[in-house]
PDB file of all heavy atoms in Angstrom:
ATOM      1  N   ARG O1608     -31.938  16.655   6.318  1.00 97.00           N
ATOM      2  CA  ARG O1608     -31.126  15.742   5.537  1.00 97.00           C
ATOM      3  C   ARG O1608     -30.027  16.524   4.808  1.00 97.00           C
ATOM      4  O   ARG O1608     -30.283  17.556   4.179  1.00 97.00           O
ATOM      5  CB  ARG O1608     -31.971  14.984   4.522  1.00 97.00           C
ATOM      6  CG  ARG O1608     -31.245  13.963   3.681  1.00 97.00           C
ATOM      7  CD  ARG O1608     -32.148  13.047   2.935  1.00 97.00           C
ATOM      8  NE  ARG O1608     -33.338  13.701   2.394  1.00 97.00           N
ATOM      9  CZ  ARG O1608     -33.417  14.153   1.153  1.00 97.00           C
ATOM     10  NH1 ARG O1608     -32.419  14.033   0.317  1.00 97.00           N
ATOM     11  NH2 ARG O1608     -34.530  14.695   0.750  1.00 97.00           N
ATOM     12  N   ILE O1609     -28.763  16.017   4.880  1.00 95.00           N
ATOM     13  CA  ILE O1609     -27.627  16.686   4.236  1.00 95.00           C
ATOM     14  C   ILE O1609     -26.957  15.840   3.171  1.00 95.00           C
ATOM     15  O   ILE O1609     -26.017  16.271   2.559  1.00 95.00           O
ATOM     16  CB  ILE O1609     -26.600  17.148   5.271  1.00 95.00           C
ATOM     17  CG1 ILE O1609     -25.990  15.981   6.113  1.00 95.00           C
ATOM     18  CG2 ILE O1609     -27.204  18.263   6.192  1.00 95.00           C
ATOM     19  CD1 ILE O1609     -24.788  16.356   6.928  1.00 95.00           C
ATOM     20  N   THR O1610     -27.399  14.569   3.015  1.00 92.00           N
ATOM     21  CA  THR O1610     -26.824  13.701   1.994  1.00 92.00           C
ATOM     22  C   THR O1610     -27.934  13.085   1.127  1.00 92.00           C
ATOM     23  O   THR O1610     -29.083  12.966   1.559  1.00 92.00           O
ATOM     24  CB  THR O1610     -26.004  12.588   2.575  1.00 92.00           C
ATOM     25  OG1 THR O1610     -26.812  11.640   3.271  1.00 92.00           O
ATOM     26  CG2 THR O1610     -24.899  13.077   3.522  1.00 92.00           C
ATOM     27  N   ASP O1611     -27.548  12.641  -0.028  1.00 92.00           N
ATOM     28  CA  ASP O1611     -28.377  11.720  -0.784  1.00 92.00           C
ATOM     29  C   ASP O1611     -28.145  10.358  -0.192  1.00 92.00           C
ATOM     30  O   ASP O1611     -27.385  10.145   0.746  1.00 92.00           O
ATOM     31  CB  ASP O1611     -28.001  11.770  -2.285  1.00 92.00           C
ATOM     32  CG  ASP O1611     -28.404  13.090  -2.928  1.00 92.00           C
ATOM     33  OD1 ASP O1611     -29.454  13.637  -2.522  1.00 92.00           O
ATOM     34  OD2 ASP O1611     -27.689  13.528  -3.859  1.00 92.00           O
ATOM     35  N   ASN O1612     -28.734   9.305  -0.814  1.00 91.00           N
ATOM     36  CA  ASN O1612     -28.561   7.957  -0.300  1.00 91.00           C
ATOM     37  C   ASN O1612     -27.096   7.523  -0.423  1.00 91.00           C
ATOM     38  O   ASN O1612     -26.486   7.696  -1.436  1.00 91.00           O
ATOM     39  CB  ASN O1612     -29.465   7.013  -1.113  1.00 91.00           C
ATOM     40  CG  ASN O1612     -29.643   5.678  -0.488  1.00 91.00           C
ATOM     41  OD1 ASN O1612     -28.798   5.239   0.289  1.00 91.00           O
ATOM     42  ND2 ASN O1612     -30.756   5.028  -0.779  1.00 91.00           N
ATOM     43  N   ILE O1613     -26.564   7.030   0.718  1.00 85.00           N
ATOM     44  CA  ILE O1613     -25.220   6.494   0.779  1.00 85.00           C
ATOM     45  C   ILE O1613     -25.289   4.990   0.728  1.00 85.00           C
ATOM     46  O   ILE O1613     -25.507   4.351   1.698  1.00 85.00           O
ATOM     47  CB  ILE O1613     -24.493   6.964   2.047  1.00 85.00           C
ATOM     48  CG1 ILE O1613     -24.476   8.493   2.180  1.00 85.00           C
ATOM     49  CG2 ILE O1613     -23.076   6.402   2.113  1.00 85.00           C
ATOM     50  CD1 ILE O1613     -23.946   8.958   3.500  1.00 85.00           C
ATOM     51  N   ASN O1614     -25.176   4.451  -0.491  1.00 75.00           N
ATOM     52  CA  ASN O1614     -25.108   3.010  -0.757  1.00 75.00           C
ATOM     53  C   ASN O1614     -26.362   2.233  -0.235  1.00 75.00           C
ATOM     54  O   ASN O1614     -27.295   2.836   0.266  1.00 75.00           O
ATOM     55  CB  ASN O1614     -23.800   2.413  -0.189  1.00 75.00           C
ATOM     56  CG  ASN O1614     -23.035   1.811  -1.300  1.00 75.00           C
ATOM     57  OD1 ASN O1614     -23.570   1.133  -2.229  1.00 75.00           O
ATOM     58  ND2 ASN O1614     -21.734   2.081  -1.371  1.00 75.00           N
ATOM     59  N   SER O1615     -26.310   0.940  -0.343  1.00 65.00           N
ATOM     60  CA  SER O1615     -27.505   0.122  -0.102  1.00 65.00           C
ATOM     61  C   SER O1615     -27.334  -0.894   0.956  1.00 65.00           C
ATOM     62  O   SER O1615     -28.004  -1.903   0.884  1.00 65.00           O
ATOM     63  CB  SER O1615     -27.894  -0.509  -1.457  1.00 65.00           C
ATOM     64  OG  SER O1615     -26.858  -1.368  -1.910  1.00 65.00           O
ATOM     65  N   MET O1616     -26.536  -0.738   1.906  1.00 75.00           N
ATOM     66  CA  MET O1616     -26.403  -1.705   2.966  1.00 75.00           C
ATOM     67  C   MET O1616     -27.038  -1.058   4.264  1.00 75.00           C
ATOM     68  O   MET O1616     -27.583  -0.003   4.205  1.00 75.00           O
ATOM     69  CB  MET O1616     -24.994  -2.080   3.247  1.00 75.00           C
ATOM     70  CG  MET O1616     -24.300  -2.777   2.026  1.00 75.00           C
ATOM     71  SD  MET O1616     -25.132  -4.334   1.536  1.00 75.00           S
ATOM     72  CE  MET O1616     -24.443  -5.450   2.702  1.00 75.00           C
ATOM     73  N   ILE O1617     -26.984  -1.821   5.381  1.00 78.00           N
ATOM     74  CA  ILE O1617     -27.600  -1.364   6.607  1.00 78.00           C
ATOM     75  C   ILE O1617     -26.604  -1.122   7.719  1.00 78.00           C
ATOM     76  O   ILE O1617     -25.390  -1.395   7.559  1.00 78.00           O
ATOM     77  CB  ILE O1617     -28.647  -2.378   7.096  1.00 78.00           C
ATOM     78  CG1 ILE O1617     -27.964  -3.758   7.401  1.00 78.00           C
ATOM     79  CG2 ILE O1617     -29.781  -2.572   6.070  1.00 78.00           C
ATOM     80  CD1 ILE O1617     -28.877  -4.730   8.067  1.00 78.00           C
ATOM     81  N   ASP O1618     -27.108  -0.621   8.841  1.00 78.00           N
ATOM     82  CA  ASP O1618     -26.361  -0.479  10.085  1.00 78.00           C
ATOM     83  C   ASP O1618     -25.146   0.428   9.969  1.00 78.00           C
ATOM     84  O   ASP O1618     -24.040   0.104  10.388  1.00 78.00           O
ATOM     85  CB  ASP O1618     -25.922  -1.823  10.691  1.00 78.00           C
ATOM     86  CG  ASP O1618     -27.107  -2.689  10.985  1.00 78.00           C
ATOM     87  OD1 ASP O1618     -28.176  -2.152  11.251  1.00 78.00           O
ATOM     88  OD2 ASP O1618     -26.974  -3.924  10.978  1.00 78.00           O
ATOM     89  N   GLY O1619     -25.372   1.632   9.413  1.00 86.00           N
ATOM     90  CA  GLY O1619     -24.304   2.648   9.310  1.00 86.00           C
ATOM     91  C   GLY O1619     -24.032   3.277  10.622  1.00 86.00           C
ATOM     92  O   GLY O1619     -24.851   3.310  11.521  1.00 86.00           O
ATOM     93  N   SER O1620     -22.870   3.849  10.790  1.00 90.00           N
ATOM     94  CA  SER O1620     -22.439   4.458  12.015  1.00 90.00           C
ATOM     95  C   SER O1620     -21.539   5.637  11.636  1.00 90.00           C
ATOM     96  O   SER O1620     -20.773   5.571  10.666  1.00 90.00           O
ATOM     97  CB  SER O1620     -21.661   3.458  12.881  1.00 90.00           C
ATOM     98  OG  SER O1620     -21.395   4.014  14.140  1.00 90.00           O
TER      99      SER O1620
END
Side-chain angles (χ1 to χ4, degrees):
R1608 183 167 39 95
I1609 61 170
T1610 68
D1611 289 327
N1612 195 334
I1613 303 173
N1614 242 317
S1615 60
M1616 297 301 278
I1617 61 169
D1618 299 334
S1620 186

